[in-house]
Amino acid sequence: MIQVDNLSFKYGNHVILDHLSFQIDTGGLYALMGPNGCGKTTLLRCIARLANPQEGRVLVDGKDVKDYDIRGLAQRIAMVRQQTIPDFEFPAYDIVMMGRHPYQHRLQASTEEDLHIVETAMQTTHTWHLRNHVPSQLSGGEMQRVMIARALAQQTPIMLLDEPTSNLDIAHQLEIMQLLQSINRTEGKTILIVVHDLNLALRFCPQSLLLYQGHLFFNGNSLEALTPQHISHVFGVEASLTDGFLHYERPYAG
Protein backbone atom coordinates (compact mmCIF):
# COMPACT_ATOMS: atom_id res chain seq x y z
CA MET A 1 0.00 0.00 0.00
CA ILE A 2 1.13 3.55 -0.79
CA GLN A 3 -0.20 6.44 1.29
CA VAL A 4 0.51 10.04 0.34
CA ASP A 5 -0.20 12.39 3.22
CA ASN A 6 -0.43 16.17 2.74
CA LEU A 7 2.45 16.14 0.23
CA SER A 8 3.77 19.45 -1.10
CA PHE A 9 6.74 20.08 -3.37
CA LYS A 10 8.08 23.25 -4.93
CA TYR A 11 11.09 24.56 -6.82
CA GLY A 12 11.91 27.92 -5.27
CA ASN A 13 8.58 29.72 -5.15
CA HIS A 14 7.02 27.58 -7.87
CA VAL A 15 4.58 25.09 -6.36
CA ILE A 16 4.53 21.74 -8.20
CA LEU A 17 2.48 19.60 -5.78
CA ASP A 18 0.08 21.23 -3.34
CA HIS A 19 -0.98 19.23 -0.28
CA LEU A 20 -1.79 15.91 -1.98
CA SER A 21 -3.40 13.15 0.08
CA PHE A 22 -4.49 9.80 -1.33
CA GLN A 23 -4.01 6.05 -1.06
CA ILE A 24 -3.05 3.45 -3.66
CA ASP A 25 -4.31 0.03 -2.70
CA THR A 26 -2.15 -3.08 -2.73
CA GLY A 27 -2.33 -4.90 -6.05
CA GLY A 28 -3.95 -1.99 -7.89
CA LEU A 29 -3.17 -0.89 -11.44
CA TYR A 30 -3.38 2.90 -11.55
CA ALA A 31 -2.96 5.46 -14.33
CA LEU A 32 -1.54 8.84 -13.29
CA MET A 33 -2.73 11.55 -15.67
CA GLY A 34 -2.86 15.29 -16.09
CA PRO A 35 -1.63 18.05 -18.39
CA ASN A 36 2.06 18.77 -18.89
CA GLY A 37 3.68 20.38 -15.89
CA CYS A 38 1.05 19.28 -13.36
CA GLY A 39 3.54 17.31 -11.26
CA LYS A 40 3.18 13.69 -12.40
CA THR A 41 6.89 12.90 -12.64
CA THR A 42 7.62 14.85 -9.46
CA LEU A 43 5.01 12.78 -7.62
CA LEU A 44 6.64 9.53 -8.77
CA ARG A 45 10.02 10.85 -7.68
CA CYS A 46 8.68 11.74 -4.24
CA ILE A 47 7.16 8.28 -3.82
CA ALA A 48 10.49 6.69 -4.81
CA ARG A 49 12.41 9.12 -2.54
CA LEU A 50 14.27 10.59 -5.50
CA ALA A 51 12.89 14.01 -4.52
CA ASN A 52 12.29 15.40 -1.04
CA PRO A 53 8.97 17.18 -0.46
CA GLN A 54 8.92 20.33 1.64
CA GLU A 55 5.78 19.15 3.46
CA GLY A 56 3.98 15.88 4.04
CA ARG A 57 5.14 12.32 3.71
CA VAL A 58 4.87 9.11 1.71
CA LEU A 59 4.21 5.82 3.49
CA VAL A 60 4.91 2.42 1.97
CA ASP A 61 3.30 -0.39 3.94
CA GLY A 62 2.77 2.05 6.80
CA LYS A 63 6.41 3.16 6.98
CA ASP A 64 7.72 6.56 5.89
CA VAL A 65 9.96 6.14 2.84
CA LYS A 66 12.51 8.34 4.64
CA ASP A 67 12.88 5.63 7.28
CA TYR A 68 13.92 2.93 4.79
CA ASP A 69 17.57 2.46 4.04
CA ILE A 70 18.51 2.52 0.35
CA ARG A 71 18.61 -1.24 0.01
CA GLY A 72 15.33 -1.71 1.88
CA LEU A 73 13.48 0.82 -0.26
CA ALA A 74 14.92 -0.69 -3.44
CA GLN A 75 13.41 -3.99 -2.33
CA ARG A 76 9.99 -2.32 -2.09
CA ILE A 77 9.85 0.04 -5.08
CA ALA A 78 11.15 -0.31 -8.65
CA MET A 79 10.97 2.69 -10.98
CA VAL A 80 11.16 2.78 -14.76
CA ARG A 81 12.03 6.33 -15.74
CA GLN A 82 10.90 8.19 -18.83
CA GLN A 83 14.39 8.25 -20.34
CA THR A 84 15.08 4.59 -21.06
CA ILE A 85 18.35 4.79 -23.03
CA PRO A 86 21.25 4.25 -20.61
CA ASP A 87 24.50 6.16 -20.96
CA PHE A 88 26.37 2.86 -21.15
CA GLU A 89 26.55 0.08 -23.71
CA PHE A 90 26.11 -2.94 -21.46
CA PRO A 91 24.30 -5.96 -22.93
CA ALA A 92 20.62 -6.18 -22.11
CA TYR A 93 21.30 -9.14 -19.83
CA ASP A 94 23.67 -7.09 -17.67
CA ILE A 95 21.17 -4.22 -17.53
CA VAL A 96 18.47 -6.55 -16.24
CA MET A 97 20.92 -8.07 -13.74
CA MET A 98 21.28 -4.59 -12.21
CA GLY A 99 17.81 -5.18 -10.79
CA ARG A 100 19.40 -7.74 -8.46
CA HIS A 101 21.78 -5.21 -6.84
CA PRO A 102 19.51 -4.55 -3.81
CA TYR A 103 19.93 -8.21 -2.86
CA GLN A 104 23.66 -8.54 -3.49
CA HIS A 105 26.63 -7.59 -1.35
CA ARG A 106 29.49 -5.58 -2.81
CA LEU A 107 31.66 -7.62 -5.18
CA GLN A 108 29.41 -10.65 -4.72
CA ALA A 109 29.03 -12.80 -7.80
CA SER A 110 25.53 -13.46 -9.13
CA THR A 111 23.97 -16.53 -7.57
CA GLU A 112 22.02 -19.26 -9.33
CA GLU A 113 18.89 -17.62 -7.94
CA ASP A 114 19.89 -14.28 -9.50
CA LEU A 115 20.48 -15.95 -12.86
CA HIS A 116 17.10 -17.68 -12.72
CA ILE A 117 15.25 -14.49 -11.72
CA VAL A 118 16.87 -12.49 -14.55
CA GLU A 119 16.10 -15.12 -17.15
CA THR A 120 12.49 -15.36 -15.93
CA ALA A 121 12.11 -11.56 -16.09
CA MET A 122 13.47 -11.48 -19.64
CA GLN A 123 11.28 -14.39 -20.72
CA THR A 124 8.24 -12.62 -19.25
CA THR A 125 9.01 -9.42 -21.18
CA HIS A 126 9.98 -11.32 -24.37
CA THR A 127 13.54 -9.96 -24.27
CA TRP A 128 15.54 -13.14 -23.65
CA HIS A 129 16.52 -13.34 -27.31
CA LEU A 130 17.92 -9.79 -26.97
CA ARG A 131 20.12 -10.58 -23.97
CA ASN A 132 23.41 -10.01 -25.84
CA HIS A 133 22.27 -6.82 -27.58
CA VAL A 134 23.49 -3.41 -26.39
CA PRO A 135 21.10 -0.42 -26.21
CA SER A 136 22.20 1.03 -29.57
CA GLN A 137 21.05 -2.22 -31.20
CA LEU A 138 17.57 -2.09 -29.64
CA SER A 139 14.42 -0.32 -30.80
CA GLY A 140 12.56 1.99 -28.43
CA GLY A 141 10.00 -0.70 -27.64
CA GLU A 142 12.67 -3.33 -27.06
CA MET A 143 14.62 -1.04 -24.76
CA GLN A 144 11.48 -0.25 -22.80
CA ARG A 145 10.80 -3.95 -22.30
CA VAL A 146 14.39 -4.46 -21.13
CA MET A 147 13.93 -1.74 -18.50
CA ILE A 148 10.68 -3.32 -17.37
CA ALA A 149 12.52 -6.64 -17.13
CA ARG A 150 15.09 -4.96 -14.87
CA ALA A 151 12.26 -3.70 -12.66
CA LEU A 152 10.81 -7.22 -12.55
CA ALA A 153 14.20 -8.68 -11.61
CA GLN A 154 14.20 -6.26 -8.68
CA GLN A 155 11.27 -8.29 -7.30
CA THR A 156 9.49 -5.39 -5.63
CA PRO A 157 5.79 -5.34 -4.75
CA ILE A 158 5.52 -1.82 -6.23
CA MET A 159 6.38 -0.62 -9.74
CA LEU A 160 6.36 3.03 -10.81
CA LEU A 161 6.59 3.82 -14.53
CA ASP A 162 6.98 7.29 -16.01
CA GLU A 163 5.39 7.37 -19.48
CA PRO A 164 6.49 3.87 -20.55
CA THR A 165 4.70 4.25 -23.90
CA SER A 166 6.12 7.65 -24.88
CA ASN A 167 7.68 7.83 -28.36
CA LEU A 168 6.43 4.35 -29.25
CA ASP A 169 4.14 3.47 -32.16
CA ILE A 170 0.63 2.20 -31.50
CA ALA A 171 1.56 -1.49 -31.69
CA HIS A 172 4.36 -1.08 -29.14
CA GLN A 173 2.17 1.05 -26.88
CA LEU A 174 -0.38 -1.76 -26.76
CA GLU A 175 2.38 -4.32 -26.21
CA ILE A 176 3.77 -2.45 -23.20
CA MET A 177 0.36 -1.85 -21.63
CA GLN A 178 -0.68 -5.48 -22.15
CA LEU A 179 2.58 -6.58 -20.54
CA LEU A 180 2.03 -4.38 -17.48
CA GLN A 181 -1.58 -5.51 -17.19
CA SER A 182 -0.44 -9.14 -17.29
CA ILE A 183 2.24 -8.50 -14.63
CA ASN A 184 -0.36 -6.87 -12.40
CA ARG A 185 -2.79 -9.75 -12.78
CA THR A 186 -0.36 -12.65 -12.50
CA GLU A 187 2.06 -11.28 -9.89
CA GLY A 188 -0.24 -8.96 -7.94
CA LYS A 189 2.17 -6.05 -8.14
CA THR A 190 0.95 -2.56 -7.29
CA ILE A 191 1.59 -0.54 -10.46
CA LEU A 192 1.36 3.23 -10.97
CA ILE A 193 1.88 4.42 -14.56
CA VAL A 194 2.10 7.95 -15.93
CA VAL A 195 -0.09 7.81 -19.04
CA HIS A 196 -0.78 10.50 -21.64
CA ASP A 197 -3.14 8.52 -23.87
CA LEU A 198 -6.46 8.54 -22.04
CA ASN A 199 -7.80 5.64 -24.09
CA LEU A 200 -4.87 3.47 -23.02
CA ALA A 201 -5.63 4.35 -19.41
CA LEU A 202 -9.31 3.61 -19.88
CA ARG A 203 -8.60 0.25 -21.50
CA PHE A 204 -5.85 -1.10 -19.25
CA CYS A 205 -5.98 0.68 -15.88
CA PRO A 206 -9.00 0.06 -13.63
CA GLN A 207 -8.06 3.01 -11.37
CA SER A 208 -6.93 6.54 -12.19
CA LEU A 209 -5.44 9.56 -10.49
CA LEU A 210 -6.01 12.94 -12.14
CA LEU A 211 -3.69 15.82 -11.28
CA TYR A 212 -4.58 19.41 -12.11
CA GLN A 213 -2.42 22.42 -11.29
CA GLY A 214 -0.60 20.51 -8.57
CA HIS A 215 -3.79 19.31 -6.87
CA LEU A 216 -5.42 15.90 -6.83
CA PHE A 217 -8.54 16.36 -8.94
CA PHE A 218 -9.80 12.76 -8.84
CA ASN A 219 -8.82 9.36 -7.48
CA GLY A 220 -10.98 6.36 -8.32
CA ASN A 221 -12.46 4.17 -11.02
CA SER A 222 -11.14 5.10 -14.47
CA LEU A 223 -14.62 5.20 -16.03
CA GLU A 224 -15.64 7.70 -13.37
CA ALA A 225 -12.38 9.63 -13.70
CA LEU A 226 -12.42 10.05 -17.48
CA THR A 227 -15.81 11.63 -18.01
CA PRO A 228 -16.24 14.36 -20.65
CA GLN A 229 -16.77 16.86 -17.83
CA HIS A 230 -13.53 15.92 -16.07
CA ILE A 231 -11.57 15.88 -19.33
CA SER A 232 -12.78 19.34 -20.30
CA HIS A 233 -11.83 20.70 -16.88
CA VAL A 234 -8.41 19.04 -16.57
CA PHE A 235 -7.22 18.93 -20.19
CA GLY A 236 -9.20 21.77 -21.76
CA VAL A 237 -10.72 19.74 -24.62
CA GLU A 238 -14.19 18.52 -25.40
CA ALA A 239 -14.58 14.77 -25.44
CA SER A 240 -17.26 12.14 -25.85
CA LEU A 241 -17.35 8.47 -24.85
CA THR A 242 -18.69 5.98 -27.40
CA ASP A 243 -18.53 2.21 -26.90
CA GLY A 244 -15.84 2.63 -24.27
CA PHE A 245 -13.63 4.81 -26.50
CA LEU A 246 -12.92 8.50 -25.95
CA HIS A 247 -13.14 10.88 -28.89
CA TYR A 248 -11.49 14.30 -28.60
CA GLU A 249 -13.30 16.97 -30.54
CA ARG A 250 -11.92 20.45 -30.03
CA PRO A 251 -10.53 22.75 -27.33
CA TYR A 252 -13.09 23.42 -24.63
CA ALA A 253 -14.56 26.89 -25.04
CA GLY A 254 -16.37 27.08 -21.70
Side-chain angles (χ1 to χ4, degrees):
M1 182 188 298
I2 301 171
Q3 293 171 279
V4 174
D5 181 23
N6 201 38
L7 191 75
S8 294
F9 185 93
K10 61 183 179 180
Y11 291 109
N13 294 321
H14 181 49
V15 176
I16 306 297
L17 301 174
D18 193 2
H19 296 95
L20 300 186
S21 294
F22 61 88
Q23 177 176 302
I24 293 178
D25 294 331
T26 301
L29 176 54
Y30 287 75
L32 176 58
M33 294 172 286
N36 291 340
C38 71
K40 301 183 294 296
T41 295
T42 300
L43 176 57
L44 288 193
R45 288 175 54 81
C46 287
I47 293 173
R49 209 177 71 187
L50 298 174
N52 295 316
Q54 283 78 22
E55 295 182 57
R57 59 182 184 165
V58 176
L59 304 177
V60 171
D61 294 335
K63 182 178 178 179
D64 195 318
V65 294
K66 293 180 181 178
D67 294 332
Y68 284 91
D69 60 27
I70 293 175
R71 184 185 297 267
L73 189 60
Q75 293 175 0
R76 303 300 300 167
I77 299 175
M79 184 167 175
V80 178
R81 305 190 192 194
Q82 185 175 352
Q83 179 60 39
T84 60
I85 305 300
D87 295 328
F88 41 78
E89 284 286 276
F90 292 151
Y93 185 89
D94 292 349
I95 293 173
V96 178
M97 183 60 76
M98 293 175 187
R100 300 303 302 156
H101 287 177
Y103 304 93
Q104 298 171 336
H105 299 290
R106 183 173 295 181
L107 303 180
Q108 175 188 340
S110 299
T111 65
E112 288 295 324
E113 181 183 17
D114 292 329
L115 300 177
H116 173 72
I117 289 169
V118 167
E119 180 175 350
T120 300
M122 298 191 80
Q123 295 283 10
T124 299
T125 55
H126 309 296
T127 56
W128 182 243
H129 66 290
L130 302 170
R131 59 190 179 277
N132 295 319
H133 290 56
V134 296
S136 61
Q137 297 172 319
L138 300 175
S139 70
E142 289 170 340
M143 192 66 230
Q144 193 64 271
R145 285 188 282 122
V146 167
M147 301 308 288
I148 293 172
R150 184 174 75 169
L152 283 180
Q154 203 170 324
Q155 288 197 315
T156 59
I158 298 169
M159 290 178 63
L160 310 176
L161 300 102
D162 192 1
E163 297 186 44
T165 61
S166 64
N167 302 317
L168 300 182
D169 60 34
I170 294 172
H172 285 102
Q173 289 179 29
L174 290 172
E175 181 182 46
I176 294 297
M177 294 303 291
Q178 288 167 348
L179 171 62
L180 294 172
Q181 183 185 61
S182 175
I183 292 168
N184 170 256
R185 289 176 175 176
T186 59
E187 301 191 25
K189 291 183 182 290
T190 304
I191 300 179
L192 176 60
I193 315 170
V194 174
V195 182
H196 272 301
D197 189 316
L198 306 188
N199 279 303
L200 286 179
L202 196 60
R203 177 173 176 180
F204 292 102
C205 301
Q207 303 293 318
S208 289
L209 298 167
L210 289 179
L211 293 187
Y212 180 64
Q213 295 183 352
H215 297 273
L216 180 65
F217 181 80
F218 189 91
N219 176 20
N221 181 276
S222 293
L223 277 173
E224 297 174 3
L226 296 173
T227 64
Q229 293 79 13
H230 289 170
I231 292 170
S232 68
H233 183 88
V234 172
F235 296 97
V237 297
E238 290 189 8
S240 60
L241 183 65
T242 305
D243 296 327
F245 190 85
L246 286 165
H247 302 268
Y248 313 118
E249 298 176 6
R250 57 183 177 275
Y252 181 63

